Short mmCIF file of all heavy atoms in Angstrom, two decimals:
data_model
loop_
_atom_site.label_atom_id
_atom_site.label_comp_id
_atom_site.label_asym_id
_atom_site.label_seq_id
_atom_site.Cartn_x
_atom_site.Cartn_y
_atom_site.Cartn_z
N ARG A 477 77.30 -10.74 36.39
CA ARG A 477 76.22 -9.88 36.91
C ARG A 477 75.89 -10.28 38.35
O ARG A 477 75.71 -9.45 39.22
CB ARG A 477 74.99 -10.02 36.00
CG ARG A 477 74.00 -8.89 36.13
CD ARG A 477 72.99 -8.94 34.98
NE ARG A 477 72.09 -10.07 35.13
CZ ARG A 477 70.89 -10.01 35.73
NH1 ARG A 477 70.45 -8.87 36.21
NH2 ARG A 477 70.13 -11.08 35.81
N ILE A 478 75.86 -11.60 38.58
CA ILE A 478 75.56 -12.11 39.92
C ILE A 478 76.70 -11.77 40.89
O ILE A 478 76.46 -11.32 42.02
CB ILE A 478 75.36 -13.65 39.88
CG1 ILE A 478 74.21 -14.03 38.95
CG2 ILE A 478 75.17 -14.22 41.28
CD1 ILE A 478 72.85 -13.63 39.41
N VAL A 479 77.93 -11.96 40.43
CA VAL A 479 79.09 -11.68 41.30
C VAL A 479 79.09 -10.20 41.68
O VAL A 479 79.26 -9.86 42.86
CB VAL A 479 80.42 -12.07 40.60
CG1 VAL A 479 81.62 -11.61 41.42
CG2 VAL A 479 80.48 -13.58 40.37
N LYS A 480 78.89 -9.34 40.69
CA LYS A 480 78.89 -7.89 40.98
C LYS A 480 77.77 -7.53 41.96
O LYS A 480 77.96 -6.72 42.87
CB LYS A 480 78.75 -7.08 39.69
CG LYS A 480 80.09 -6.93 39.02
CD LYS A 480 80.05 -6.11 37.75
CE LYS A 480 81.36 -6.30 37.01
NZ LYS A 480 81.18 -6.49 35.57
N ALA A 481 76.62 -8.14 41.77
CA ALA A 481 75.50 -7.89 42.69
C ALA A 481 75.87 -8.34 44.10
O ALA A 481 75.64 -7.63 45.07
CB ALA A 481 74.25 -8.63 42.20
N GLY A 482 76.50 -9.51 44.20
CA GLY A 482 76.88 -10.04 45.51
C GLY A 482 77.88 -9.16 46.25
O GLY A 482 77.89 -9.07 47.47
N PHE A 483 78.75 -8.50 45.49
CA PHE A 483 79.78 -7.65 46.11
C PHE A 483 79.35 -6.18 46.19
O PHE A 483 80.14 -5.33 46.59
CB PHE A 483 81.07 -7.72 45.29
CG PHE A 483 81.95 -8.90 45.63
CD1 PHE A 483 81.98 -10.02 44.80
CD2 PHE A 483 82.75 -8.90 46.76
CE1 PHE A 483 82.79 -11.11 45.10
CE2 PHE A 483 83.56 -9.98 47.07
CZ PHE A 483 83.58 -11.09 46.23
N SER A 484 78.09 -5.87 45.84
CA SER A 484 77.74 -4.45 45.63
C SER A 484 77.94 -3.56 46.85
O SER A 484 78.42 -2.45 46.72
CB SER A 484 76.32 -4.32 45.08
OG SER A 484 75.43 -5.03 45.91
N ALA A 485 77.57 -4.01 48.05
CA ALA A 485 77.83 -3.18 49.24
C ALA A 485 78.68 -3.99 50.20
O ALA A 485 78.33 -5.10 50.59
CB ALA A 485 76.53 -2.75 49.88
N LYS A 486 79.82 -3.41 50.55
CA LYS A 486 80.83 -4.15 51.31
C LYS A 486 80.34 -4.67 52.65
O LYS A 486 80.65 -5.79 53.04
CB LYS A 486 82.05 -3.23 51.51
CG LYS A 486 83.33 -4.00 51.36
CD LYS A 486 84.52 -3.11 51.49
CE LYS A 486 85.75 -4.04 51.54
NZ LYS A 486 86.97 -3.32 51.54
N ARG A 487 79.59 -3.85 53.36
CA ARG A 487 79.24 -4.23 54.73
C ARG A 487 77.96 -5.08 54.82
O ARG A 487 77.63 -5.58 55.87
CB ARG A 487 79.10 -3.00 55.62
CG ARG A 487 80.25 -2.09 55.44
CD ARG A 487 80.62 -1.27 56.66
NE ARG A 487 81.90 -0.62 56.39
CZ ARG A 487 83.08 -1.18 56.62
NH1 ARG A 487 83.16 -2.37 57.17
NH2 ARG A 487 84.19 -0.54 56.32
N LYS A 488 77.29 -5.20 53.70
CA LYS A 488 76.03 -5.98 53.74
C LYS A 488 76.28 -7.45 53.51
O LYS A 488 77.28 -7.85 52.92
CB LYS A 488 75.10 -5.47 52.63
CG LYS A 488 74.41 -4.17 52.98
CD LYS A 488 73.20 -4.02 52.07
CE LYS A 488 72.84 -2.58 51.84
NZ LYS A 488 72.09 -2.44 50.59
N THR A 489 75.32 -8.27 53.96
CA THR A 489 75.43 -9.70 53.72
C THR A 489 75.12 -10.00 52.27
O THR A 489 74.55 -9.19 51.55
CB THR A 489 74.43 -10.50 54.60
OG1 THR A 489 73.12 -10.10 54.21
CG2 THR A 489 74.66 -10.26 56.07
N LEU A 490 75.49 -11.21 51.89
CA LEU A 490 75.26 -11.67 50.53
C LEU A 490 73.79 -11.61 50.13
O LEU A 490 73.42 -11.11 49.06
CB LEU A 490 75.78 -13.11 50.46
CG LEU A 490 75.78 -13.80 49.14
CD1 LEU A 490 76.74 -13.11 48.20
CD2 LEU A 490 76.19 -15.25 49.32
N VAL A 491 72.95 -12.10 51.04
CA VAL A 491 71.51 -12.14 50.76
C VAL A 491 70.97 -10.73 50.49
O VAL A 491 70.25 -10.48 49.54
CB VAL A 491 70.74 -12.79 51.93
CG1 VAL A 491 69.23 -12.65 51.72
CG2 VAL A 491 71.12 -14.24 52.07
N ASN A 492 71.37 -9.78 51.36
CA ASN A 492 70.92 -8.40 51.19
C ASN A 492 71.41 -7.82 49.86
O ASN A 492 70.66 -7.15 49.16
CB ASN A 492 71.39 -7.53 52.35
CG ASN A 492 70.52 -7.75 53.57
OD1 ASN A 492 69.33 -8.07 53.44
ND2 ASN A 492 71.09 -7.61 54.74
#
Side-chain angles (χ1 to χ4, degrees):
R477 199 166 71 94
I478 300 292
V479 173
K480 278 181 193 137
F483 277 102
S484 53
K486 219 177 171 175
R487 312 210 170 273
K488 282 199 208 156
T489 62
L490 185 65
V491 172
N492 281 331

